[in-house]
Every structure is written in C-alpha cells, then in structure tokens.
Amino acid sequence: MTTAATAAVPAATVRRLGRFELRRELGRGAQATVWLARDPHLEREVALKLLDPAATDGVLAHWLHEARAVSPLAHPNVVPVFEADTIDGQPCLVFEYVDGPTLAQARRGRGGMPPRDAVQLMMGVLDALAEAHARGIVHRDLKPSNVLVGQDGRPRVMDFGIAAHAARDGDGLIVGTPGYMSPEAARGESPAPAMDVFAAGMMLAELLAGAALLRERDPQRAIDRVQREDFALPAAVPVDDALRAIVARAVARDPRARYDGARSFHAALAGWLGAASEAVEPAAGGHGTLEFLLRRMRSKRDFPALSTSIVRIQRVASSETESLASLADAILDDVALTHKLLRMVNTVHFASAGAGSISTVSRAVALVGFAGIRNMALSVVLLEHMHDKQHQAQIREEYLRALMTGTLAAQMLTGAREAEEGFIGAMFQNLGRLLVEYYFPDEAQQIRQLAPQGGEAARDGAAVKVLGLTTGELGLGVARSWGLPAPLLRAMDRPEGDAPTRALPAGAERQRWAGRAAGELTDLMLAQPGAMPRAQLARLAETYGGALGLRLPAIEAAAEGGRTRFATLVDALGVAVPRAEVAHRLLPPLAVDLPAPPAGSTPATAGDTLAGHALAPTAVLPPAPAGEAPRISEPARTGERAAPASPSALSPAATPAPGAGVPRLAAGVQAITDRMAIEDFRLDEVLRMVLQTLHDALGLQRVLLCLRDPARHTLTGRFGLGRDAASLAPRFEVPLRTPPGNSPDLFAAVCAKGVDTLIADAAAPAIAARLPAWFARHVRAPTFVLLPLMLRGACFGLIYADQARAGAIALDERELALLRTLRNQAVMAFRQFDRG
C-alpha cells in the first residue's frame, strides 16, 4: 500500500489489531483506512486496510468475498492480498507493503510524461490487469491513486477490494471513480474487461497530457458526461498518430470499439514501442517541412493516419508464429476497418475464392491470406478521404500510380511472401508524393513544372528546391511517426545509383529494386495510351534485368499481368477512373470500335465500358429495337439485364437467374487452381475443367475451345462439351489475318481486338450481317459469348459458349468476373505448360 507523507504516530499511541502492530496511518478513504503495520510472526511490514465499522453486514460480506476472490492473484505488478478476514471484530485486508508513492502522488504537478516512459509504465499496469482478466476478475476502480510506484519504478496495481467477476449478472450499482469510470460502468452494467481498458486508457492519456481528460468537480456531472462525450488526447500533446490512435481506441465510448481486454491493449502498446525502437534515424535536411506536415496532419486529421490496428495487422501478418485467429482479432479491433475489408473480400475478385458470401473475418483471412488482408488494409487507409479535396483527380492519379507500382513490383518478384512484401514496399515508396499532392498542391505543381519528364532523380532535385527534402524522405519521416516497422521503412527507401548487374537474392534489396523498376514501368504506362513500345520495355529489362533476374519476355509478362491484377484491385476498392484522366491508361485496353461491316449494313459502335475487370471488359450487344442499330455498351451491372428478345424455337429452356452460377463457377475456379498447383498437371485436363465449369455452372447449350493453327493462321475448334459439340468443333475456323480490302467478320474482329463479347441476339440485322458463313450455316446459335485467349497482345485461342434462346445468357457482375478468371486460368495453364 501507500506511504503517504503523514507524521509517525507517537509510540505511546501505537495499538494492536490481533497480532498486527499498527505503526501509522497511510491513507483514508470513504469506506476504509489504510495503516502501516508490522506482522511479528513473519517479521515483515504489511499494509492493513480496515473497513469502516459502520458498514452494513451486506457490504461487509460482499467486501470480504471479493477480497478473498482476488487473493490468489500473484503477479509482479499486483499488490498481493495476504489475508482477508475479521480480526477482533474489525474487517480488514492484509496487503504487501510497497515503499513508494501512488502514481497520482508521483505525477502531481509534473506535466506530461515522455511518451516512451508513459507507455512502459502503463504496460506494467496492463500486465497486472491481464492476469486478473485471465482469472475472470475485473478491477472496476483503476485510477492513478490505486497504482503504487515502488523504489524500482515498477507500477503495482492495488485495491481490488471492489473487483468483481466478469460476466456476472449486473447489480445495477455504479462502481468506480468518476473521471476513470467507463460509460457502461456509469450505467451500472455488468463488470467486463473493457471497463478496465477504458480506465487504463484514461490514465495513459493523463500521463501523456499531464492532466486528466475528464476534469469535473461534480461527480454526477462527470458520470453524465462520460456517457455523452467522446474523449481523445488534445492536439497539442506531442505524440505521434499511432500512439494517439491507441489511446483513442482504448477510451472509445462504445465498448465494442475498444480493445477487448488488457492483453490486447498491452499488445498494441508493445507494437508501438517496438516500432519506435526499430525506426531508423530521420533523413538529414528538410526537418522544417516534415514537422510542419506532421503538425498539420495532427491538427486537421484529414489524411488517414495509420491506426494502431493496421500497424498490428502489419506485424501479425509478417510474423512466422502468429495464428489466423490473431490476425482476425487484430482486424476486429477496428470496427470500421472490419466492415471495409469484409466489403472488399466480397467483391467479384475475392469472392471467386469463397464460393459465396464471406461474412466472418476468420474466413476472409483463410481465403485471402495474411498478406492479402494486410495489403487491402494498407490500401484502404491510403485511399480514404481523397474525395475531400478539390484537386481529387491529381490525388487519385498519385494514389493509382502507387497502387500500380506495388502491383508491378509483386509481378516481378518470385515467391508469394516476397511478392506480397514487395507490393507494400513499392506502394509506400510513393507515400511522400501522395502526401505532397494532398497537403501541398501548389508545391506539387511546382515540382511537376521543374521536372516535367525528368524521372525520379529530376523530381528529387525539384522537391529539394521546393520543399527542402525529397518526397521519399518526407514519406519516410511520416511513416516513422506512424510507427511502421523497420523492414517496411527499409523497403520504402527507393535505391539510388545504378542497378546491380548480378541477380540479387530474395529479400529486402531485391524488393527495393523491384519497386524502383516498377515505378519506372508505371511512368511508361502513364506517358502514353495503348501498348508500350517494345524498345522501352527492352531498355527497362536491360537496366534492371540483371538485378531482378528478368529478361524482356518476363518484363512484358509482368506488365500484362500487372494491368490485370491492378484492374481487379481498382474494382475491389471502388475507385472510378474516368476515361479522360491519365490514370485510365493503367487499366487494360477497353472495348474499341469493331471494323466497319460490309457495305449496306449498319455499323456497331463502341460505347463506354466498365473499367477494372480481369482483362478487357465485356461488350454486351442487346437486341436492338426496330430501326435502331445495336451498340456495344457497358457490361451488365448487378441487377441490370439486356432486354430479352422473343424466344427462339431452338429450345424452351428458361434463362438461369442472374448470379445463380456463382457458387459453381467459384468452386470450379478453386478446383482448377488446386489442380494447376500440381507440378506435372496435364494441360488438356485443365482446359476440359474450364469448359466443364462454364457448361455446368451457367447451364449452357455448348462450350468449345478453339486454338491457333500456325500453318493456316486460323483459330480452329479442337474440342467441346454439350449439344453436337464434337461434330461442330471442326466447323469453327476464325481467320487471324484478314486480306487487304476485306472486312473481318464478327469473330475475327473480336479476336483481333481481344474484347470479351456477349451477343444477346444474333438475329439483330447489324449482328447477323457480321456473322461468318460457317456459323450461320452450321451453328445458328441466337446468343453466345466469346472469350479470346490473349498473350502479349496476340490471340492464340478462343472460348465459345452459347445458349438456345435469344437473351438466355444473362450474367451479373460476379459471373462476369468469374468467367474472366476461368479464361485467365486457361491462359495461365498454357503459359505454365509452355515454360515446363
């Protein structure tokens, strides 16, 4: 107990209580008095807490019962209870005597503590609470005056006299001290660990600020205010955003938004402390700009600082020992983040692995993976609030540039772990650029004017002239203030000078160079629409190929795969990329005008398509009203359908409900993924699995695969499933070269442009005029889908699927995405088989 500065009691007045010799009074409260005493049997000093004799029998019984319940607590940060009994008719508790002041006495009038010292002290307090929580015990009256600080500086939690067992029925009593009492405790709710978390958060805030967050003389007003107000550290308190976020989480008014117990709170502080210890020294120069930016971010808080839950996700996802449950718990600590991530994993890209709705974080982590969840979390944080600025187009471009850089870096690296780490590092190499664009738009414009096309080196020089430091140094400084771990800070540091000529081993250095190469490749994509000249890619391969172990074909494949993956991420994040913006060049090629039809027919024209799917967006040609030419329009969004034409006499089959094929498509995607993971998989088996999945999931009439015949320069039907597929396959013959002066038919045009196409009504005049003669004579399907197989811009195959009634193929957005995933798996199978 405490050694308050009280005068020693004269020897003549010393009295006994049982075997104990009462030496002097240490403190007095509303219900009890604390004495320093000596136990002659064990020859030690103890602290005796004597309950007011006027207490009722009920209060006395409750007091002794709870004291005995907590007496088994044994922890270095807990003041232990030796005895709980009635001695000479006096109810009392016997505690270990701690020679030191209470925390309230030690900090009185001394202002705020250094953040590191305050955190280390509170981690000791939380260790004590965690031990109690593990035994089902809630303190319920944690406050600075109930924490002793020994001569060794170790905090010791005391006075569990009103502690209670968690999850017991609420007694309706308001228990605790106003100013530290949680909102639910102020309502008399059942004791729970979150009550102690709130009190510990208020204590930590008080240590950092030098004053209590809730200062109110009237206890009833304090009880009312804690139920109505939200509390946070004042902006003037000099702590970083990561620690500020930890405090905010701990004192959240809604207990569900807090840490679920002292152990979780302790883990967050340990993560902050560890990150602060590992952080490297700030870059030289430019401190004024960095400090100004940090102050602005703290005061306005309109740019999304990395919350502690995301820092914890980064740490847990990078660990070799943490479990799936640990990562799920880290996500659940942030209610808002939980909703965002579940929304993302239920988008068309991630749902393809789940065969249905993903409703729990544990399942999301299991399906998407540790690193995937981490990447989504970091992406979400960087994306927030971009719409709040008037110059949102430029901010969006910088964000998408960062996202594409990370995506391309992942494509250039081998191994899932290295690719995921490379994604984060490369994306965050662009953090400074995004921050400058967000907070200093005028200065960002000056930098662009000074270095319009000079590359990163020229931009760095311009940034030093304008800001006093490079954007990379600025981003690193902010990342340190967020408490990001040292490995990520290292990956963010874009390398300078010439790239190594020898292949780097897997690890941080190769990731850094992959980030730099990916940044240059992204800039090439932004510089010009359409496909990049091969000569530019060759120069990139010559510069970085040695260090990364990549040749030109691999760089080309990385660019192609990067666009595909990037488009999917953009879709998942819900970012609209208008065609007029430069960033639109990062997306896969959109649907383009089909070549002119034969004379006398009405041409089909290209309209806007929905950007951000797996490869080129689908062109949906609905039946045209009388007298109106059909158009290639947006692919069907969820809930939208092309107007059905009159039923064909070929089949009375009903149109499957939109979205009905998702479970089977998703299951097929997973089965094919598993099969392709086998080193010696058979190509024909995978291709048949692709066709079988399409046929069964969508209830199609037939599905066929056409492949390139090098001798004839055509795509020829090889095999298929469904009605007359075997006999019709040889009839399919799509020319890959069109003689000069001739117009390609619909199939040839679609394959030349690589445009996924759904024909809703082949009888429409403008469509019928474009159909090849062999199709009109032998196949005559009224509605069909064409999925070209593309590699490096050239078509080498085609998946064809049809139905026997016009308008009978109706696909929602999830089905469209899964169809593209299946098509991509077919392409990947060919690519892997060819490499083998």
Side-chain angles (χ1 to χ4, degrees):
M1 299 301 290
T2 184
T3 58
T6 57
V9 179
T13 64
V14 171
R15 62 187 180 90
R16 291 178 177 273
L17 183 66
R19 73 178 188 272
F20 298 102
E21 299 173 359
L22 303 184
R23 294 296 180 86
R24 70 175 186 270
E25 186 178 306
L26 299 176
R28 182 179 294 271
Q31 291 184 327
T33 304
V34 181
W35 286 79
L36 171 62
R38 183 178 182 274
D39 182 351
H41 288 184
L42 299 176
E43 296 185 348
R44 66 182 178 185
E45 290 185 322
V46 294
L48 254 61
K49 185 170 185 177
L50 310 180
L51 183 64
D52 186 348
T56 65
D57 290 343
V59 171
L60 172 60
H62 174 75
W63 193 66
L64 290 175
H65 173 75
E66 298 298 353
R68 289 167 181 154
V70 302
S71 62
L73 278 178
H75 190 275
N77 295 104
V78 172
V79 178
V81 178
F82 295 149
E83 298 180 37
D85 208 345
T86 299
I87 303 175
D88 295 342
Q90 171 68 58
C92 67
L93 303 179
V94 183
F95 292 92
E96 177 188 11
Y97 171 66
V98 178
D99 185 13
T102 67
L103 184 57
Q105 292 167 340
R107 298 305 307 168
R108 186 171 294 135
R110 300 188 61 180
M113 288 181 71
R116 178 181 292 274
D117 295 345
V119 166
Q120 288 175 328
L121 189 149
M122 283 306 301
M123 287 173 67
V125 173
L126 290 168
D127 270 332
L129 292 175
E131 178 69 17
H133 292 171
R135 294 175 177 270
I137 298 168
V138 180
H139 191 290
R140 294 208 293 178
D141 195 25
L142 185 68
K143 55 188 175 183
S145 60
N146 273 342
V147 176
L148 292 171
V149 182
Q151 296 299 321
D152 58 358
R154 175 160 42 107
R156 313 283 291 277
V157 180
M158 65 174 182
D159 205 0
F160 280 84
I162 60 172
H165 284 283
R168 74 176 189 184
D169 292 337
D171 51 21
L173 296 176
I174 297 177
V175 177
T177 300
Y180 306 95
M181 184 190 306
S182 68
E184 62 273 23
R187 295 190 292 268
E189 295 182 10
S190 299
M195 294 179 178
D196 288 346
V197 168
F198 182 89
M202 295 294 277
M203 284 177 58
L204 176 56
E206 184 173 342
L207 293 176
L208 294 168
L213 294 189
L214 176 55
R215 288 177 285 184
E216 185 63 65
R217 290 181 179 274
D218 183 348
Q220 187 57 52
R221 283 179 54 84
I223 290 174
D224 292 340
R225 285 181 58 189
V226 77
Q227 298 178 69
R228 293 184 286 103
E229 298 180 20
D230 293 314
F231 297 95
L233 274 173
V237 178
V239 300
D240 62 44
D241 285 330
L243 184 54
R244 189 178 295 274
I246 292 174
V247 174
R249 183 72 41 73
V251 300
R253 189 153 38 124
D254 184 349
R256 294 171 299 180
R258 284 181 228 141
Y259 299 103
D260 57 5
R263 185 63 65 201
S264 299
F265 192 1
H266 183 282
L269 291 177
W272 177 86
L273 196 62
S277 300
E278 294 175 359
V280 295
E281 290 299 314
H287 290 286
T289 302
L290 177 57
E291 288 303 315
F292 176 76
L293 174 59
L294 291 174
R295 284 197 303 272
R296 177 178 290 187
M297 291 170 69
R298 281 195 291 266
S299 61
K300 290 191 173 183
R301 302 191 62 78
D302 51 357
F303 190 87
L306 283 181
S307 68
T308 182
S309 61
I310 291 184
V311 174
R312 184 179 170 199
I313 286 169
Q314 158 67 21
R315 186 180 69 256
V316 173
S318 300
S319 171
E320 298 288 349
T321 59
E322 293 284 0
S323 66
L324 181 151
S326 299
L327 184 56
D329 289 344
I331 295 168
L332 289 170
D333 279 345
D334 188 331
V335 176
L337 178 62
T338 300
H339 291 317
K340 292 170 187 172
L341 291 183
L342 286 178
R343 187 172 65 246
M344 289 182 68
V345 298
N346 277 288
T347 58
V348 290
H349 174 71
F350 297 106
S352 65
S357 176
I358 303 170
S359 58
T360 66
V361 172
S362 295
R363 186 160 182 249
V365 176
L367 293 172
V368 179
F370 275 37
I373 288 289
R374 172 184 57 187
N375 291 351
M376 285 191 285
L378 294 174
S379 297
V380 166
V381 168
L382 287 184
L383 179 64
E384 288 180 342
H385 303 299
M386 288 198 305
H387 60 277
D388 293 338
K389 291 288 184 179
Q390 293 181 351
H391 55 296
Q392 58 179 297
Q394 192 63 49
I395 296 172
R396 181 166 49 238
E397 180 179 327
E398 287 292 351
Y399 170 76
L400 293 174
R401 181 188 183 278
L403 189 62
M404 176 57 100
T405 300
T407 303
L408 291 173
Q411 294 287 319
M412 295 179 184
L413 296 168
T414 58
R417 181 65 177 266
E418 186 184 30
E420 294 291 355
E421 291 174 348
F423 172 92
I424 298 175
M427 185 173 71
F428 272 67
Q429 283 184 10
N430 298 273
L431 176 62
R433 290 181 56 157
L434 183 57
L435 288 168
V436 171
E437 190 62 58
Y438 195 90
Y439 279 103
F440 307 119
D442 294 338
E443 288 81 356
Q445 180 61 26
Q446 292 179 41
I447 293 172
R448 285 194 294 273
Q449 291 173 348
L450 289 172
Q453 295 178 343
E456 286 297 331
R459 279 188 61 92
D460 284 348
V464 170
K465 290 181 180 179
V466 176
L467 300 171
L469 77 172
T470 68
T471 55
E473 290 170 338
L474 187 70
L476 278 170
V478 171
R480 291 188 193 101
S481 78
W482 282 344
L484 291 183
L488 180 52
L489 294 174
R490 177 63 177 164
M492 289 176 59
D493 190 8
R494 186 171 54 85
E496 303 295 337
D498 296 333
T501 55
R502 293 185 177 182
L504 295 168
E509 281 305 299
R510 188 161 75 172
Q511 292 167 21
R512 293 176 67 218
W513 285 102
R516 175 170 150 178
E520 292 188 18
L521 181 53
T522 301
D523 287 338
L524 290 177
M525 292 178 174
L526 289 169
Q528 55 196 343
M532 290 173 292
R534 208 161 188 261
Q536 293 182 338
L537 291 176
R539 284 195 294 272
L540 197 71
E542 182 179 356
T543 302
Y544 298 103
L548 301 178
L550 301 176
R551 296 188 178 184
L552 177 58
I555 295 291
E556 291 177 319
E560 178 185 340
R563 285 187 189 272
T564 299
R565 173 67 173 152
F566 171 79
T568 308
L569 286 174
V570 168
D571 238 7
L573 290 167
V575 182
V577 189
R579 279 194 174 192
E581 292 185 5
V582 173
H584 196 276
R585 297 173 181 177
L586 300 175
L587 292 168
L590 295 176
V592 295
D593 290 342
L594 292 173
S601 62
T602 305
T605 58
D608 289 337
T609 58
L610 186 64
H613 287 298
L615 282 180
T618 300
V620 181
L621 277 65
E628 182 180 328
R631 295 174 57 84
I632 298 179
S633 60
E634 283 194 331
R637 301 174 186 266
T638 303
E640 296 178 1
R641 299 289 169 268
S646 58
S648 166
L650 289 176
S651 172
T655 303
V662 167
R664 286 193 176 186
L665 288 171
V669 167
Q670 187 60 56
I672 295 167
T673 299
D674 294 341
R675 183 56 55 92
M676 291 175 63
I678 301 174
E679 186 173 352
D680 57 347
F681 74 88
R682 291 175 51 188
L683 177 61
D684 62 334
E685 183 179 17
V686 169
L687 295 177
R688 288 186 181 277
M689 289 176 69
V690 171
L691 298 191
Q692 190 77 55
T693 299
L694 285 171
H695 181 272
D696 295 349
L698 300 179
L700 298 169
Q701 177 179 229
R702 65 177 70 93
V703 184
L704 292 94
L705 175 68
C706 303
L707 295 176
R708 180 172 177 265
D709 183 341
R712 301 169 60 188
H713 301 293
T714 61
L715 297 179
T716 304
R718 297 297 177 90
F719 63 86
L721 300 171
R723 179 182 175 185
D724 301 327
S727 61
L728 287 177
R731 305 286 188 181
F732 280 70
E733 189 168 345
V734 181
L736 294 175
R737 296 179 181 176
T738 302
N742 292 355
S743 296
D745 61 44
L746 176 65
F747 282 64
V750 166
C751 292
K753 301 300 182 182
V755 181
D756 300 337
T757 303
L758 166 60
I759 300 298
D761 184 6
I767 300 300
R770 307 290 303 282
L771 294 175
W774 58 264
F775 183 88
R777 185 179 308 114
H778 300 290
V779 184
R780 301 186 301 276
T783 181
F784 55 88
V785 176
L786 303 177
L787 302 173
L789 307 182
M790 309 293 290
L791 190 59
R792 288 193 283 275
C795 183
F796 71 90
L798 174 70
I799 295 176
Y800 167 89
D802 66 25
Q803 191 50 280
R805 181 168 57 84
I809 301 178
L811 306 172
D812 72 1
E813 186 174 311
R814 296 170 298 167
E815 290 168 322
L816 286 171
L818 288 168
L819 254 62
R820 295 189 180 100
T821 300
L822 283 168
R823 183 269 312 286
N824 292 347
Q825 287 183 316
V827 174
M828 290 170 59
F830 275 101
R831 186 179 291 168
Q832 290 188 36
F833 186 79
D834 183 60
R835 289 174 181 171

